[in-house]
Amino acid sequence: MQRICVIGGSRYFGRLLVERLQAAGHQVTVLNRGSAQPPTGVEHLVVDRDDEAGLVAALGSRTFDVVVDQICYTPVQAAIAARAFAGRTRRYVMTSTIEVYDPATAALPPVPAGITVPEENVDPRAWQVAVDLPWHDEAYLEAHYAEGKRQAEAVLARDGGFAFASVRSAHVLGGGRREFTGRLAHYTERIAQGDEIVVHAEALPTVFIHYEELADLLLWAATATDFTGPVNACSDGLLDVRDLAAIVAARTGREPVYRTVAAGGAASPFSFDRHYAMSNTRAKQLGFAFSRTTDWLPGAVAETLTASAAPA
């Protein structure tokens, strides 16, 4: 049994992680603003993580073997966490994102199309941090999501008094209504209704992960391994937007209707005019076994279709 604190953990793969940690026999504490109650038997600390004094007071004398941070988006939040959890945990795992590799959001080393992006393309220990930017402004944060994640990783890698690991997640799908972003529903609904899917003329492939697989990987990262630094989390196999639409079409019985836009134009989710599909080689070398996207995606599409058909 380990003592594990999950920051966030109120929905989707975060809540599933909490449930699986508890089922595995760990002593779990969930820390969030109280938007949802954790499972029975899980300690719940209601506090705003941005309130450093309140966070320290809520933690009291508690210590943990591992902290899993699901909702760290800025270097300011990371700096608060680094100070608050210094001396309280031996290991800190942050959920990060594929978006840290997006070449449209930073000057990154180029990776040729067809070569998947390794973790070293964004080294958090070498990344410049600017805590004086308007990270508190929601519009700024939304527009600089990828940079916020890069800088948050950098702060925790350099300033945390603990072993630090980041899990850079691919695009997460599955779970029907649990998939709150609505990106898969965009395809199931539009294809079923005969509406247009907007795609780039030369749409490039990307990588995905099922929400249950991501919960499993986070469980592994927290309790079954001691790696540090970033690790990419994605199922095997690259898919582009037309591959995804074809899987939806097979379930709906309707052929997709496409409208093409030039590079740089606004398009449907997962239509990319730039390359940053990740490599999962490091995670495999560390011992994690991934599924294939094409094995689980048809089931995820079916769940989404069922959720769309059911009464709200």
Side-chain angles (χ1 to χ4, degrees):
M1 183 189 75
Q2 298 187 56
R3 296 180 305 251
I4 300 175
C5 177
V6 178
I7 305 176
S10 63
R11 61 180 178 177
Y12 207 28
F13 59 85
R15 185 172 182 87
L16 184 58
L17 170 64
V18 170
E19 293 169 355
R20 292 191 172 178
L21 286 167
Q22 185 184 36
H26 300 293
Q27 181 181 321
V28 186
T29 297
V30 166
L31 189 155
N32 58 34
R33 292 184 296 183
S35 58
Q37 289 292 320
T40 302
V42 171
E43 182 183 37
H44 191 195
L45 301 180
V46 178
V47 64
D48 184 343
R49 65 166 304 150
D50 296 335
D51 175 4
E52 184 169 356
L55 176 59
V56 171
L59 289 170
S61 61
R62 293 173 180 83
T63 60
F64 306 98
D65 295 297
V66 187
V67 173
V68 183
D69 193 341
Q70 298 281 75
I71 52 170
C72 189
Y73 302 110
T74 75
V76 176
Q77 292 177 325
I80 290 171
R83 292 189 294 267
F85 285 96
R88 294 182 188 272
T89 186
R90 61 171 179 80
R91 181 168 176 78
Y92 200 103
V93 178
M94 173 188 154
T95 303
S96 191
T97 173
I98 185 176
E99 301 305 327
V100 302
Y101 300 116
D102 184 353
T105 64
L108 297 171
V111 178
I115 304 297
T116 49
V117 184
E119 287 85 355
E120 53 264 30
N121 245 44
V122 176
D123 179 1
R125 291 191 173 273
W127 201 261
Q128 186 173 353
V129 172
V131 295
D132 56 346
L133 295 173
W135 296 113
H136 61 281
D137 181 87
E138 290 186 9
Y140 181 87
L141 179 56
E142 182 177 358
H144 297 83
Y145 171 71
E147 182 61 17
K149 283 290 193 178
R150 285 188 288 258
Q151 292 195 25
E153 286 191 42
V155 169
L156 291 167
R158 295 199 295 254
D159 301 339
F162 34 65
F164 173 68
S166 59
V167 173
R168 294 173 175 168
S169 170
H171 308 292
V172 188
L173 297 177
R177 289 191 187 278
R178 298 182 188 89
E179 200 269 286
F180 62 91
T181 68
R183 293 178 296 182
L184 188 53
H186 172 91
Y187 287 90
T188 58
E189 292 168 7
R190 296 188 74 82
I191 291 174
Q193 295 166 9
D195 295 333
E196 290 180 335
I197 302 295
V198 183
V199 300
H200 294 102
E202 301 293 336
L204 294 169
T206 188
V207 285
F208 299 90
I209 191 166
H210 192 273
Y211 83 108
E212 291 185 357
E213 186 164 42
L214 182 54
D216 286 340
L217 190 143
L218 288 165
L219 174 67
W220 167 80
T223 65
T225 181
D226 59 359
F227 77 88
T228 57
V231 69
N232 295 336
C234 57
S235 302
D236 289 335
L238 303 177
L239 276 74
D240 65 26
V241 63
R242 291 176 185 266
D243 297 326
L244 173 62
I247 291 172
V248 175
R251 287 281 173 169
T252 61
R254 299 286 300 272
E255 287 301 311
V257 177
Y258 294 111
R259 177 167 62 86
T260 302
V261 296
S268 293
F270 312 130
S271 181
F272 295 102
D273 57 359
R274 56 203 184 276
H275 167 65
Y276 57 107
M278 298 188 301
S279 166
N280 62 13
T281 299
R282 184 177 190 225
K284 288 180 176 179
Q285 290 173 340
L286 290 166
F288 191 84
F290 290 97
S291 66
R292 291 196 63 81
T293 301
T294 50
D295 289 339
W296 57 258
L297 186 53
V301 169
E303 281 185 303
T304 304
L305 286 166
T306 300
S308 298

